[in-house]
Amino acid sequence: MNFLRKLFNISTESSNEKLIKKQPVNLSLDDSFVHHFINNGGKFLYSTKIDEVIYNLKHIIAENKWKEISCNDIDLLKLTKDIPVTIHEKLNNTNPVFTSCEHLIANSGEILFSSNQLGSQKLSQLSDDFIVYATTSQLVKNIGEGLTGIKMNFKGNIPTNISSIKNYSISNSEDDILEFNRNSKNLYLLLFEDL
């Protein structure tokens, strides 16, 4: 009988089970972000102490056998002082990028950047490998809240070059003509609990 049900695609779900599946799921901002981020191929490490952030950063660099990284953030450079890696303060397309971000977008799993992190370079001009340091206080519901947050945080001097990364798996297929997203990155997120 199971064979016939599968063959004719007869559902054995009760009406209550169908109703439950149709119910909207309301996740907290952090749960929603993590859900979308992981579904988009992202990798993240959660930390509650700055020592854990440094430990995780060291292991990401060692696991990938990176000898050099790019980092133009003075505060983040302090985290790398005990890690055996050469640091380039100018971002380029050959070395993995270690940077911060503006916001984490919960409803899509995107990471929002601006000229504060990227300077005048476009994401597509940078390395395929990113390590992003962010805090839980940077979580916002959607892109609109992220842009409003940037506007509020930098009232007199709004940064330019605002862009985001949403896809965290690199597609090397040249045959895929539907691949329009040039901002795909192999991305590690070091998420620090600051609330």
Side-chain angles (χ1 to χ4, degrees), residues 18-159:
K18 289 179 184 178
L19 184 63
I20 289 171
K21 285 186 176 181
K22 290 183 182 180
Q23 296 290 327
V25 177
N26 295 319
L27 299 174
S28 65
L29 283 181
D30 53 346
D31 288 337
S32 179
F33 173 79
V34 168
H35 170 76
H36 292 292
F37 182 77
I38 290 173
N39 281 346
N40 293 339
K43 301 169 278 273
F44 86 99
L45 297 153
Y46 182 82
S47 305
T48 56
K49 298 177 184 170
I50 205 68
D51 290 341
E52 292 173 352
V53 172
I54 295 168
Y55 174 84
N56 290 331
L57 175 62
K58 184 177 186 177
H59 280 80
I60 290 169
I61 292 169
E63 176 184 308
N64 288 286
K65 298 179 176 123
W66 292 328
K67 304 290 183 210
E68 304 176 47
I69 62 172
S70 299
C71 180
N72 62 358
D73 185 315
I74 295 168
D75 292 326
L76 293 182
L77 286 172
K78 295 174 188 172
L79 300 177
T80 64
K81 67 180 179 180
D82 293 329
I83 299 174
V85 66
T86 302
I87 308 291
H88 298 276
E89 292 188 27
K90 183 174 167 90
L91 303 182
N92 60 52
N93 65 353
T94 55
N95 298 320
V97 175
F98 179 40
T99 187
S100 60
C101 65
E102 294 295 343
H103 290 289
L104 305 173
I105 311 300
N107 74 344
S108 63
E110 288 177 76
I111 299 179
L112 192 62
F113 299 94
S114 75
S115 56
N116 290 334
Q117 293 83 36
L118 308 175
S120 62
Q121 294 189 345
K122 295 178 183 173
L123 282 169
S124 60
Q125 296 172 324
L126 297 173
S127 170
D128 286 341
D129 300 306
F130 265 61
I131 305 169
V132 177
Y133 170 81
T135 61
T136 52
S137 62
Q138 291 176 281
L139 280 162
V140 294
K141 185 176 181 179
N142 54 42
I143 284 281
E145 285 186 13
L147 295 173
T148 301
I150 290 173
K151 187 176 177 182
M152 297 302 291
N153 291 338
F154 305 101
K155 287 183 181 180
N157 191 16
I158 297 175

Side-chain angles (χ1 to χ4, degrees), residues 5-29:
R5 284 189 182 151
K6 289 180 182 177
L7 181 65
F8 294 108
N9 199 20
I10 299 172
S11 176
T12 57
E13 291 182 327
S14 70
S15 59
N16 281 344
E17 289 172 332
K18 289 179 184 178
L19 184 63
I20 289 171
K21 285 186 176 181
K22 290 183 182 180
Q23 296 290 327
V25 177
N26 295 319
L27 299 174
S28 65
L29 283 181

Side-chain angles (χ1 to χ4, degrees), residues 33 36-38 40-43 108-111 165-170 183-187:
F33 173 79
H36 292 292
F37 182 77
I38 290 173
N40 293 339
K43 301 169 278 273
S108 63
E110 288 177 76
I111 299 179
I165 300 175
K166 182 178 182 178
N167 186 5
Y168 308 109
S169 25
I170 305 295
N183 292 341
S184 297
K185 301 292 180 188
N186 174 38
L187 192 139

